[in-house]
Amino acid sequence: MKSIELQRDTQFIMELQKKLNNSDYTSTWDLFSLTYDAELTRMAPAFTGLRALDYLPQITFMEHQIECAEQVIEDMNGRAILADEVGLGKTIEAGLILKEYMIRGLVKKALILVPASLVNQWERELNEKFYIPAIAHRKNYGWEHGEIIISSIDTAKRSPHREEILNIDYDFILIDEAHKLKNHKTKNFSFVRSLRKKYCLLLTATPVQNQLIEIFNLVSILKPGHLGNYESFLERYGKDRTKIKEDIYLKQLIQKVMVRNTRKETSLNNTKRNIETVWVQFSDEERSVYKELENSKYSLPAFSKITYLREICSSREACFLSLNKLEEENKDYSTLDLKHIIQKIEQLPHHTKAVKVIELIKQIGDEKVIIFTEYRATQLYLQWYLQQYGITSVPFRGGFKRGKKDWMRQLFQNHAQVLIATEAGGEGINLQFCNYMINYDLPWNPMRLEQRIGRVHRYGQTKDVHIYNLAIKGTIEEHIMKLLYEKINLFEQVIGQLDDILAELDIKDMGKEIQTIYSESRTVGEAKIKIDNLASIIQQNQRLSEGEVDQFGSY
Amino acid sequence: MAVTDLNKFLATFFSAKRCTIVENKDGVLTVQLTEEMDRALMNRPFYWHYIKKMGNQGDPMQLTLVTNPNKKEVKGEWIHFGSPRLQQIMNYLNQNEKYTKLFQSMNVESNTPLYPWLITNIKVSYKGKHKKDELISIGLHLVNGSMKVEMMKELSSVPLQQMIPDYCYTISPMIKLESGFKRIERVIDDYIERQTHDWAEESIHLLKKEMTLLQHFYSNDDEENSEQQMEKELKEIKNRYNPTITYQVINGGLFYLSPAL
């Protein structure tokens, strides 16, 4: 066929001639035939099928992941949006696709753009799981060196990196959290559009957050024109995202460039979440301190008062430290009243929740347990207290350096029974080997709670997940638990859904929202009513969006 | 033959590279590397640089390679098909064991002629929207011009050595290596010509379709950079779908074989 380009090997025969003339090293028969055998083993004799599966016997892929990789390579020809719901293994799918292309010799040069906080995790996963020699971009390291480079988009788009990168022909581009590219007017978007690429994967759990034009923009990176041009698309679909389910034609078109698996359809459903709220009663001494704080006559700013109340629900130490600091900073507060409370706290016995935690861990037995707390003081206290009972634990904080985080994770996996993490530790580590979690105190931002759960209940989890939420009766913990979290069914929610709803309601930080409610309410009763209202609004929006999510989920 | 027995593959490799097999039992292979192999596989150029500077001999490492999945608890590297070490060795072969000159071993006591053959193993890759490979092994008799395919299979029962055997002498080629190689290429050209290439037609169809879409995408666009952007994207589409066939010689060489073959 004339239209096929033919590339011959011109070098070999000249080289052979030269070697023979110079009597250079030549191979023995054994090595010569091993070389032939090796090639026979490594080549890809068919257009279809995944060779990579033979190369990765140590990974157990889930069915939807293999299907996804095949679909992207064979039907979508290597340009696709991977839009699985959070926790179904988009990274695994992307790794498998990249591996396959590398084995077939179709990808040599690749650029992987991910959020800065995930660069190391991507590097580790690609190296350890997939044996893909990817390296994180370092300062003073040229982009033209190194075959597979991982970087954050913010670094890549800045001069002088930008110019260097735009001069390279990439075989493969991957962009994680691609929903950040939904706006075509941003620098990120135009940067990605101008990359020179062959294959391209966009990873996002939320391909459409608000407007249909967002998906148009994502598709324009992969296959410009696939959804028509900008004007015609805008005219036809406008800004309404509900049209996506009405228009079968559009849906089909999108299906040609997007793979979306939902938890409902995949076998991840097999592992369940068992959620149990464990109610705890304050001891009399504790309750009296709590009441005293709540009714304190001296003019504590309402804002910090709530903080102290939350702290005393967590540990004596957390509250003690804050009050002490308050006393030192503001000598005018140092009324007898405050001194009195501090003294009372000093004399409190072990926190009733800590006692409960020991009981719970004993009940769980030899299994690994993660405890989340909001306060560092509580973290330290718990570590000491667990030790008294011969329970080994390691701490984990967001502030740890990457290397220390990995080290702690490993210690936990191999040596300690318990990992005690503070809030910021919630992001960026995967702890699927553990399936028991204790929420020692609850964050006021439900997204953070979701992230906590997401650490254990995700792809790779083989057992049912057990989550225990500790809450103290008759305190603000009870309000949050009962009025808010239980009402909006937070614990059963699909991740991501709530995020969308909050965004739609324009609630940026739920924690702040609640704090404002408390500080602006004169009585506990008033605060309760306001929280109840907030929960109702969220609930209402949940119902509204449910139908829509179902439609969208079936992509 | 494709590699199925990894242990055998590795043992053959290291023996051929003159490394001592310390132990080989139940799919656990321990070898003492030579300096050459240590340098090639162990990735420690600074060590060797330092040791040689100091005028020392150096101490090549031992390597334990476990191919038996039931022996994973043994201290060593677990070798499976995709493991980096195996791939490294295969890459090593691919880069370093490409050329050869061999003689058929003969046990003769009278003068015996050996005839020259050019033998090449050529990988033909078909790349359109997808890609596949085919490995073709061809031998050309450099005196009478006859050709044989599946040459590697043919040779598997022939003992071969690097030195010319006693009482044997070689016949000079009538066909030069370069023109011999051209003849081999022509045979492959012909083989490709005779195939139907649906894969290429499909790719071209797709190529045209995506180019039309792209042009439509930019039809209303009059921003300044759009033409440049469109050119870039057209190139990408061509890059991705344009059907190409590539010949790559995996290895080959000059063989002197008895006329009986």
Side-chain angles (χ1 to χ4, degrees), chain A residues 265-278:
Chain A
E265 300 159 359
T266 53
S267 41
L268 195 79
N269 259 343
N270 294 343
T271 68
K272 282 189 296 232
R273 280 184 194 185
N274 296 319
I275 290 144
E276 196 182 315
T277 302
V278 180

Side-chain angles (χ1 to χ4, degrees), chain B residues 239-258:
Chain B
N239 228 339
R240 197 149 64 109
Y241 294 126
N242 209 22
T244 318
I245 293 177
T246 317
Y247 300 169
Q248 188 202 349
V249 182
I250 296 306
N251 60 2
L254 190 56
F255 287 67
Y256 289 97
L257 305 174
S258 96

Side-chain angles (χ1 to χ4, degrees), chain A residues 116-128:
Chain A
S117 59
L118 297 178
V119 168
N120 288 327
Q121 189 166 317
W122 269 90
E123 188 183 21
R124 199 175 55 228
E125 292 231 337
L126 290 179
N127 277 290
E128 288 175 11

Side-chain angles (χ1 to χ4, degrees), chain A residues 312 389 412 481:
Chain A
I312 194 71
Y389 286 84
F412 175 45
M481 190 69 213

Side-chain angles (χ1 to χ4, degrees), chain B residues 70-194:
Chain B
N70 301 321
K71 292 267 177 186
K72 271 191 233 169
E73 78 286 349
V74 175
K75 210 173 164 220
E77 292 179 36
W78 179 41
I79 302 290
H80 55 78
F81 189 55
S83 63
R85 182 68 74 198
L86 185 71
Q87 294 301 319
Q88 183 196 29
I89 290 170
M90 288 184 166
N91 288 340
Y92 174 90
L93 286 168
N94 192 278
Q95 280 157 22
N96 298 289
E97 308 296 341
K98 216 170 167 156
Y99 309 96
T100 192
K101 180 184 170 187
L102 294 165
F103 302 87
Q104 183 166 349
S105 308
M106 304 292 276
N107 211 347
V108 286
E109 265 146 43
S110 61
N111 284 352
T112 310
L114 291 176
Y115 288 86
W117 287 75
L118 172 63
I119 292 172
T120 53
N121 299 315
I122 301 177
K123 184 164 85 169
V124 180
S125 300
Y126 307 79
K127 187 194 137 292
K129 56 177 184 167
H130 305 131
K131 187 183 170 201
K132 75 167 183 186
D133 309 313
E134 188 178 5
L135 197 51
I136 302 175
S137 178
I138 296 186
L140 170 71
H141 196 299
L142 291 176
V143 175
N144 67 17
S146 67
M147 263 195 222
K148 274 191 175 172
V149 288
E150 301 215 44
M151 203 60 201
M152 287 303 276
K153 212 180 250 174
E154 200 91 33
L155 291 175
S156 61
S157 55
V158 178
L160 293 156
Q161 62 188 61
Q162 286 187 294
M163 299 296 289
I164 186 160
D166 293 345
Y167 299 106
C168 289
Y169 62 96
T170 58
I171 306 282
S172 296
M174 299 290 287
I175 304 166
K176 282 191 174 148
L177 280 184
E178 218 169 313
S179 52
F181 186 66
K182 285 226 167 68
R183 285 194 197 200
I184 291 177
E185 279 187 316
R186 236 172 289 141
V187 169
I188 299 177
D189 290 352
D190 193 45
Y191 164 70
I192 285 166
E193 199 72 38
R194 276 182 284 116

Side-chain angles (χ1 to χ4, degrees), chain A residues 78-91:
Chain A
R79 287 197 179 192
I81 301 170
L82 303 189
D84 284 3
E85 280 177 358
V86 173
L88 291 179
K90 284 191 287 291
T91 316

